[in-house]
Amino acid sequence: MNESPGRPVPPLPPGVDPAWLPAFALRPVGSRRVRVVGTGPLVDTVRGEVVAAVREHGGHLVDDGPVDLDLVCAPETGGGPEAFTAARAAATTTVRAAEGAGLLYGFHHVVRLGEAAFTGTWSTTAAPRQAIRMLDHWDNVDVHPVMGQVERGYAGGSLFYADGGVRADLGRVAAYARLLGSIGINRVCLNNVNVHRTEARLLTDLLPDVARLADVFRPYGVRAHLSVSFAAPITVGGLATADPLDPEVREWWARTTAAVHAAIPDFGGYVVKADSEGQPGPFAYGRDHADGANLLARALKPFGGTVFWRAFVYNHRQDWRDRSTDRARAAHDHFSPLDRRFDDNVVLQVKHGPLDFQTREPLSPVIAAMPSTRLAVEVQVTQEYTGQQKHVCHLVPHWREVLSFRPWGEEGGTVADTAAGVVAVANVGDSPVWTGHPLAQANLFGFGRLAWDDRLSAEDVLDEWIGLTFEDRTVRDALHQVMGDSWRTYERYTAPLGVGFMVRPGDHYGPDVDGYEYSPWGTYHFADRDGVGVDRTRATGTGFTGQFPRPWSDVYESPDTCPDELLLFFHHVPYGHVLRSGSTVVQHVYDTHFAGRDEVHRMALIWATLRGRIPADTFERVTELLREQLRCATEWRDQVNTYFWRKSGVPDARGRTLY
Ligand code: GCV
């Protein structure tokens, strides 16, 4: 018997949206007789959920006695630490798990099922497909003059920091932790991978405040991590060097890490962006990235911590005249020779594509090249290149494609089978709806669900989110129509055929076809009067195709077998090149851009039918944002089409207006 009142559900500050845990979503549980058995912080969290739900909806938390129960959440022996069994038999639904985390996940499984959890006879045994299900926040303590407080953040300021430090009131962070726990996120990195001066101090004098944040996340099964600067021994430690082989540097990291663990006993570890876009790293000392990562891994090892070492290393000061350097090659060139060199508590964190979270990229070949290294696949929930939370762009189908891709062909496993974890750049801030765009909540929810089980269908995940978020069941079809295909719609009206980076330099919003063409960033499309695309073949190009195993190294090598959607990523082709679809490249550009923009128009019309069925503030906000999406899609259509018409001189076969 346990009569603890449970951990109170964190109240939402006035005006803050409940996201996918509104009161009505808890009604099926809260209107029933429920027993929660067991002790421990996460069991207390479950009990608190039940206490709040039954209070709201008229059910009962029944601690003991021979009462007919509708739902029992109880411990069992055996099963993984995050696994659960949920079942219904003899009119009682049960959730059983060996540990509190499993019980919490099983409880939320029942919440997601809603009334279906209390009908019929059924049974599910579930365990996460990925042990590491992590969100990286690119939050700064200080407000950056260009980036704002959250780098590439489109949802307001930081949830964690205000007035030069960790917020005094962490009530909203607790509500956020609850949301994350409900979708199975189990790790969070609290600061930007670009570590600036103030943020470097999170590791030292600001540590007591980081510990307060970790305390808030812990009862929801979420471990805290920090991004650290490789130069910290110098910048905050006062040493003369950060050389990973220097004994004093090693000693400094060991001492500093011990202090972190003393403050945060379950500290998850460090995230490191080194030798990348101006961040310091081991190259300055003639050392490689295994030397760098292992330095930190060894400091964390005694405490069970992990280093998340990012593979996003490339030359961002390239000369655009130099056709031999290919940014897409960089991560594989740097890291694949280091396979077998990393300690076992290093996780190499690899962006899903070889460039940078473009709407369409091939898989990063690093993911198939390092069988002896633990790899985490990094995706971007924050919509840096996918409409910046001004556009509806539902990314779950995209991530599902990434995770289910088979790098060794049909006979081999999927990316998800291979990965040691998945990491996403978070999309929340202090916006009242968390994500700026209300519908972008579905991306955060969907990331958590796919991290738990990549085999869930994108439609089902969207359906779960809709069912939890909107009380009116009749909105379902319309929302599927607005959101379901919106990633492909976005792809249609932006950069064509996988060529990427036709965005405005700096802020990365809206079209600027040549914006990066003569820049040092290594992201070129090479359009001229005859054709467009990057020759990355072995035969005549940069040789990038050779970084893939078979069959992909061959599939990508030939324009005849390369999938249309990646053609310009791998090949420079004439405008008249006939795609596998039968259309020419330039006609495809025209057709997709007209179609994509018109789809946005249709999305807005469908959304308009939801007036009165969606909460008024959400309805108005999304209506306004769809207006901006339509404006921006029109701009994309006209700039991209006009650009290719002017370059190629080929008119649109259907005679539509080009400028
Ligand atoms: C945090 C891209 C973004 C940068 C980001 C970087 C990264 O280049 O534009 O803002 O920096 O990716 O992932 O480290």
Side-chain angles (χ1 to χ4, degrees):
M1 188 180 100
N2 186 321
E3 288 169 5
S4 110
R7 181 178 325 288
V9 169
L12 284 172
V16 172
D17 188 79
W20 54 84
L21 290 178
F24 80 81
L26 276 296
R27 187 181 301 130
V29 168
S31 56
R32 290 186 155 84
R33 286 160 310 214
V34 186
R35 177 170 294 166
V36 179
V37 184
T39 54
L42 276 80
V43 177
D44 270 359
T45 301
V46 174
R47 185 173 288 106
E49 289 286 349
V50 172
V51 168
V54 297
R55 190 181 300 136
E56 174 88 22
H57 298 291
H60 298 279
L61 175 70
V62 185
D63 270 320
D64 59 358
V67 178
D68 284 346
L69 295 164
D70 300 296
L71 173 64
V72 177
C73 300
E76 68 175 353
T77 45
E82 297 185 310
F84 66 84
T85 303
R88 181 165 174 87
T92 303
T93 301
T94 52
V95 175
R96 296 194 185 277
E99 294 189 17
L103 210 68
L104 179 69
Y105 301 148
F107 172 79
H108 282 289
H109 176 77
V110 167
V111 172
R112 278 192 296 275
L113 287 176
E115 280 302 325
F118 300 99
T119 50
T121 301
W122 51 267
S123 171
T124 313
T125 299
R129 285 263 291 163
Q130 300 296 331
I132 293 167
R133 306 178 300 281
M134 180 161 176
L135 283 171
D136 281 5
H137 281 258
W138 287 354
D139 293 27
N140 300 310
V141 177
D142 293 335
V143 179
H144 189 275
V146 179
M147 292 285 178
Q149 193 175 21
V150 180
E151 179 151 351
R152 309 305 178 185
Y154 311 104
S158 170
L159 280 177
F160 308 145
Y161 311 110
D163 307 320
V166 173
R167 286 176 185 275
D169 178 356
L170 297 182
R172 180 126 189 230
V173 178
Y176 177 56
R178 175 181 180 236
L179 287 170
L180 297 193
S182 77
I183 52 172
I185 297 295
N186 63 0
R187 293 170 182 259
V188 68
C189 182
L190 299 169
N191 64 302
N192 188 2
V193 290
N194 291 329
V195 183
H196 308 292
R197 190 187 295 266
T198 305
E199 293 73 17
R201 292 171 37 222
L202 292 168
L203 190 60
T204 53
D205 58 306
L206 295 177
L207 185 61
D209 282 327
V210 177
R212 287 200 298 117
L213 282 167
D215 290 346
V216 171
F217 279 106
R218 188 171 300 113
Y220 299 92
V222 183
R223 290 170 78 178
H225 300 63
L226 284 176
S227 290
V228 295
S229 162
F230 196 76
I234 303 172
T235 54
V236 294
L239 302 188
T241 178
D243 182 346
L245 301 193
D246 183 290
E248 269 195 280
V249 170
R250 239 181 280 151
E251 166 53 24
W252 185 86
W253 278 111
R255 215 177 40 245
T256 304
T257 306
V260 174
H261 277 272
I264 308 170
D266 59 345
F267 182 65
Y270 299 135
V271 177
V272 189
K273 171 175 176 176
D275 291 316
S276 169
E277 299 185 334
Q279 294 296 304
F283 286 164
Y285 307 96
R287 315 296 182 198
D288 64 30
H289 279 233
D291 297 326
N294 292 342
L295 164 75
L296 300 183
R298 286 165 201 175
L300 286 158
K301 183 80 174 175
F303 311 103
T306 303
V307 183
F308 292 83
W309 189 270
R310 294 179 85 231
F312 184 59
V313 177
Y314 70 99
N315 176 7
H316 73 286
R317 297 218 177 86
Q318 204 181 313
D319 184 342
W320 60 266
R321 298 164 192 83
D322 162 21
R323 298 288 288 253
S324 67
T325 305
D326 180 5
R327 171 167 165 179
R329 291 188 56 113
H332 186 282
D333 284 344
H334 284 301
F335 285 95
S336 65
L338 302 180
D339 194 28
R340 281 189 282 277
R341 291 270 318 283
F342 292 100
D343 286 4
D344 61 5
N345 60 330
V346 175
V347 169
L348 191 65
Q349 187 169 315
V350 188
K351 288 192 183 186
H352 67 81
L355 286 185
D356 192 7
F357 299 135
Q358 298 303 287
T359 314
R360 180 75 72 168
E361 291 185 47
L363 186 75
S364 166
V366 176
I367 293 167
M370 303 189 66
S372 303
T373 306
R374 295 172 71 203
L375 299 174
V377 181
E378 185 178 339
V379 300
Q380 202 181 36
V381 186
T382 194
Q383 291 173 235
E384 176 176 0
Y385 296 102
T386 50
Q388 304 202 344
Q389 282 140 257
K390 293 190 179 79
H391 297 213
V392 179
C393 186
H394 185 56
L395 291 164
V396 173
H398 179 26
W399 303 327
R400 205 175 175 288
E401 273 192 24
V402 169
L403 293 172
S404 62
F405 187 79
R406 294 181 185 275
W408 298 274
E410 281 312 307
E411 306 307 312
T414 64
V415 167
D417 295 335
T418 310
V422 286
V423 180
V425 186
N427 66 344
V428 302
D430 66 1
S431 122
V433 298
W434 304 95
T435 51
H437 198 307
L439 303 186
Q441 289 176 6
N443 282 332
L444 183 59
F445 177 88
F447 169 73
R449 299 292 292 130
L450 281 190
W452 177 273
D453 188 352
D454 51 279
R455 296 162 306 191
L456 294 170
S457 82
E459 293 75 22
D460 287 351
V461 171
L462 180 55
D463 218 42
E464 280 183 356
W465 177 78
I466 295 170
L468 291 167
T469 305
F470 297 102
E471 192 159 12
D472 184 339
R473 303 271 144 204
T474 67
V475 303
R476 219 164 240 196
D477 277 359
L479 281 171
H480 276 278
Q481 288 180 55
V482 170
M483 299 171 71
D485 204 32
S486 54
W487 165 56
R488 290 194 181 80
T489 296
Y490 187 84
E491 179 181 32
R492 283 179 200 114
Y493 63 76
T494 56
L497 297 164
V499 77
F501 273 100
M502 289 182 170
V503 287
R504 197 159 60 212
D507 76 354
H508 297 168
Y509 183 72
D512 187 344
V513 180
D514 277 340
Y516 275 105
E517 201 54 19
Y518 307 103
S519 79
W521 293 91
T523 48
Y524 314 118
H525 54 66
F526 301 118
D528 58 24
R529 65 180 183 177
D530 300 317
V532 57
V534 191
D535 184 352
R536 294 191 159 110
T537 62
R538 302 190 283 292
T540 52
T542 68
F544 172 67
T545 58
Q547 292 186 339
F548 289 88
R550 289 220 163 78
W552 298 108
S553 56
D554 294 336
V555 170
Y556 295 146
E557 178 72 7
S558 163
D560 297 335
T561 50
C562 183
D564 284 350
E565 68 272 15
L566 289 171
L567 184 71
L568 302 183
F569 194 98
F570 286 104
H571 298 278
H572 186 90
V573 294
Y575 293 116
H577 174 88
V578 178
L579 295 166
R580 290 154 68 82
S581 70
S583 182
T584 62
V585 164
V586 71
Q587 191 57 42
H588 173 93
V589 170
Y590 299 149
D591 289 346
T592 50
H593 283 75
F594 283 113
R597 184 268 177 205
D598 290 352
E599 280 155 25
V600 177
H601 182 58
R602 245 189 327 275
M603 283 156 67
L605 294 178
I606 294 165
W607 179 260
T609 66
L610 293 175
R611 182 184 292 281
R613 294 195 279 152
I614 293 268
D617 47 353
T618 306
F619 178 81
E620 294 305 339
R621 182 79 187 120
V622 175
T623 301
E624 189 186 307
L625 287 163
L626 278 164
R627 216 171 284 134
E628 164 55 18
Q629 183 167 359
L630 186 61
R631 183 206 65 75
C632 190
T634 307
E635 199 59 31
W636 271 103
R637 177 196 68 187
D638 291 341
Q639 287 203 25
V640 172
N641 282 348
T642 299
Y643 180 92
F644 284 107
W645 150 239
R646 290 183 186 173
K647 279 266 169 194
S648 70
V650 179
D652 172 32
R654 293 173 57 193
R656 291 162 291 194
T657 306
L658 305 171
Y659 297 89

